[in-house]
Amino acid sequence: MAVSIALAVSNRLRIIAAAFLCLMAAQLAVASCTPEPAPYATRIGVVR
C-alpha cells in the first residue's frame, strides 16, 4: 500500500516538474527575443 501511494505521489510530482520545466523553457525563449525599440518619451505640448 505504501508503495502504491509513493508511486502516485511520484507520478504527480513528475507532471508538476515537467510543467515547471516547460514554463522555464518558455520564459527563456521569450527573454531571448529582442524587443522592438520603444521611444523613451513622447513630447506633448502643454498649453496654459
Side-chain angles (χ1 to χ4, degrees):
M1 176 139 184
V3 173
S4 63
I5 292 173
L7 288 175
V9 170
S10 176
N11 286 337
R12 287 183 188 162
L13 288 178
R14 275 193 224 149
I15 293 170
I16 293 171
F20 274 120
L21 287 174
C22 288
L23 286 172
M24 286 174 27
Q27 191 173 19
L28 286 173
V30 170
S32 67
C33 297
T34 55
E36 295 181 9
Y40 289 104
T42 57
R43 293 183 180 239
I44 300 172
V46 177
V47 179
R48 294 187 183 184

